[in-house]
Amino acid sequence: MAGVTDGRHFARLGIQTYGFTPMKMPPGLDYWKLAHGPDERIPVEALDFGVEALYQLLQRFGEGH
């Protein structure tokens, strides 16, 4: 799924953002009911997946430098 970040809002405050975090949503979850609503949220497991994916990417990138 393509998407955008809210980074432009943070940039106005001088906060650097770096794009997105990959997420693996559980089967059957209606993501669109959770996204961009007054109670926007994601499952913790989806965030854990993204953190681990980015960590592995950085570990591999750092090995050659």
Side-chain angles (χ1 to χ4, degrees):
M1 169 184 93
V4 298
T5 72
D6 294 327
R8 67 184 181 283
H9 302 297
F10 293 108
R12 293 180 190 149
L13 300 172
I15 301 170
Q16 176 68 50
T17 58
Y18 296 98
F20 70 100
T21 300
M23 297 180 288
K24 183 177 181 182
M25 298 297 185
L29 178 75
D30 189 354
Y31 173 74
W32 296 110
K33 285 189 176 181
L34 301 176
H36 304 300
D39 190 19
E40 183 173 7
R41 63 197 185 279
I42 63 168
V44 172
E45 294 81 12
L47 182 60
D48 285 342
F49 172 85
V51 169
E52 181 62 24
L54 291 173
Y55 178 77
Q56 288 181 24
L57 174 75
L58 292 172
Q59 287 292 94
R60 290 180 192 156
F61 178 76
E63 289 175 1
H65 294 84

